[in-house]
Amino acid sequence: MNREVENVMQETTEKWVNLEDIAEHLSVSTDTVRTWIKNGKLPVYRAGKRYKFKISEVDEWVREGKISE
């Protein structure tokens, strides 16, 4: 399977996680995640009043060093 097809498959099957899950994934508090969201730093989506995250996007954000900005 080529890489492009693999990426498309991952995007369609990736599970969305909530604020608490992403805080645990990053080993930070939920308040820290909320601050990053408020400052427009963290890749996030809204589902009504809830925040939703794709772990792959957050991991890419960390790899790019944006967590330290």
Side-chain angles (χ1 to χ4, degrees):
M1 184 176 326
N2 73 33
R3 184 127 174 105
E4 189 174 322
V5 172
E6 213 171 277
N7 287 342
V8 169
M9 287 180 66
Q10 180 183 3
E11 286 177 18
T12 59
T13 59
E14 183 173 1
K15 183 177 139 186
W16 292 84
V17 297
N18 63 26
L19 188 136
E20 291 79 11
D21 293 333
I22 212 65
E24 183 177 328
H25 179 72
L26 295 172
S27 299
V28 298
S29 71
T30 55
D31 288 340
T32 297
V33 173
R34 284 188 183 95
T35 299
W36 288 338
I37 293 168
K38 181 181 170 188
N39 294 333
K41 293 183 175 187
L42 189 64
V44 63
Y45 300 86
R46 292 292 303 249
K49 294 183 178 185
R50 298 189 178 268
Y51 294 113
K52 294 294 180 180
F53 305 86
K54 285 187 174 184
I55 290 179
S56 64
E57 290 181 2
V58 173
D59 287 346
E60 181 64 24
W61 176 76
V62 171
R63 277 192 296 277
E64 291 174 357
K66 293 181 179 176
I67 197 167
S68 62
E69 293 178 358

